[in-house]
Amino acid sequence: MPDHKIDPNKWIDLYSDYLFNYTITRVSDREIAQDLVQETFLAGLKSMKNFKGEASERTWLISILKRKIIDHYRKINSNKGKAEVRINYNDAESEGDWLEERVADPFDKTAEDTLQNNELGDAIHNCLGKLPQKQADVFKMKTILNYETEVICNELGITASNLWVIIHRARTAMADCLKTNWF
């Protein structure tokens, strides 16, 4: 039987950079990202007894962090807490994975990977900041957080066709901005 012990004393050293980079691409605010990572560690400490070892410690912390990010967006949306959000944790075909695929695995880092990872995170953050607010919100909700179209439309009070126009414009602007500022 495998040992399912986790060591929270090592979490900051092992996972804080990865969790922060993961979060900053989703919330685009350093203070909020730091708060969400801290909340994740606290929630992990409180629920350590529930860790079954079915996933790695990092994957378990990411699943907690994803819920914290969802809660953050629920709080700032007009229909607070009413949206039901579905996240595919390991769905390789979902939109938005292109961001995750470019984030280096912290266990397989070289100095160049670390530099590129930081540069990409900064470029994404800067490009999101250049989008009009509604485009940035729709882009984050659809592409990064994988919200369903219906949930986004209900949360923002827009039609599905309007959402697709906004997301197309946001993706085009992000691609152009990243091409100029990162590639």
Side-chain angles (χ1 to χ4, degrees):
M1 194 91 189
D3 188 11
H4 301 306
K5 290 187 178 185
I6 55 178
D7 188 359
N9 294 321
K10 296 180 181 178
W11 287 354
I12 292 175
D13 292 333
L14 293 175
Y15 310 119
S16 62
D17 288 340
Y18 181 83
L19 294 175
F20 177 79
N21 288 333
Y22 182 91
T23 307
I24 195 68
T25 62
R26 286 152 177 80
V27 297
S28 299
D29 183 299
R30 290 188 180 279
E31 285 186 34
I32 292 172
Q34 289 170 344
D35 289 346
L36 291 172
V37 171
Q38 287 177 356
E39 289 176 22
T40 299
F41 286 146
L42 182 60
L45 284 171
K46 288 180 179 178
S47 63
M48 280 175 41
K49 63 184 176 290
N50 298 331
F51 181 72
K52 298 176 183 169
E54 295 172 357
S56 71
E57 200 173 45
R58 183 178 87 166
T59 302
W60 179 68
L61 288 169
I62 290 170
S63 69
I64 294 171
L65 178 59
K66 286 181 178 182
R67 290 183 193 99
K68 296 292 179 190
I69 293 169
I70 290 169
D71 290 343
H72 164 73
Y73 277 101
R74 283 183 176 162
K75 286 177 189 174
I76 64 173
N77 286 320
S78 59
N79 295 325
K80 293 180 183 171
K82 293 182 181 176
E84 289 187 22
V85 180
R86 181 179 62 91
I87 291 182
N88 296 322
Y89 291 99
N90 296 314
D91 185 359
E93 296 177 6
S94 66
E95 291 180 287
D97 283 346
W98 64 275
L99 290 173
E100 291 177 17
E101 290 168 3
R102 294 175 191 248
V103 176
D105 184 342
F107 298 107
D108 187 29
K109 278 189 179 178
T110 64
E112 186 177 334
D113 290 337
T114 301
L115 181 61
Q116 284 183 349
N117 187 24
N118 291 338
E119 288 174 353
L120 175 61
D122 289 343
I124 290 170
H125 178 70
N126 290 335
C127 290
L128 277 171
K130 293 177 183 178
L131 291 178
Q133 189 61 49
K134 189 171 234 173
Q135 282 185 15
D137 290 344
V138 170
F139 181 85
K140 287 180 217 173
M141 293 171 84
K142 185 67 178 167
T143 305
I144 297 172
L145 296 172
N146 296 322
Y147 282 28
E148 295 292 322
T149 299
E150 184 178 349
V151 171
I152 298 169
C153 291
N154 289 338
E155 288 292 315
L156 300 178
I158 59 176
T159 65
S161 60
N162 191 4
L163 176 128
W164 290 111
V165 169
I166 293 169
I167 197 67
H168 172 74
R169 289 177 181 164
R171 287 177 177 164
T172 302
M174 284 294 291
D176 291 344
C177 183
L178 286 172
K179 188 182 290 185
T180 303
N181 296 306
W182 190 70
F183 295 111

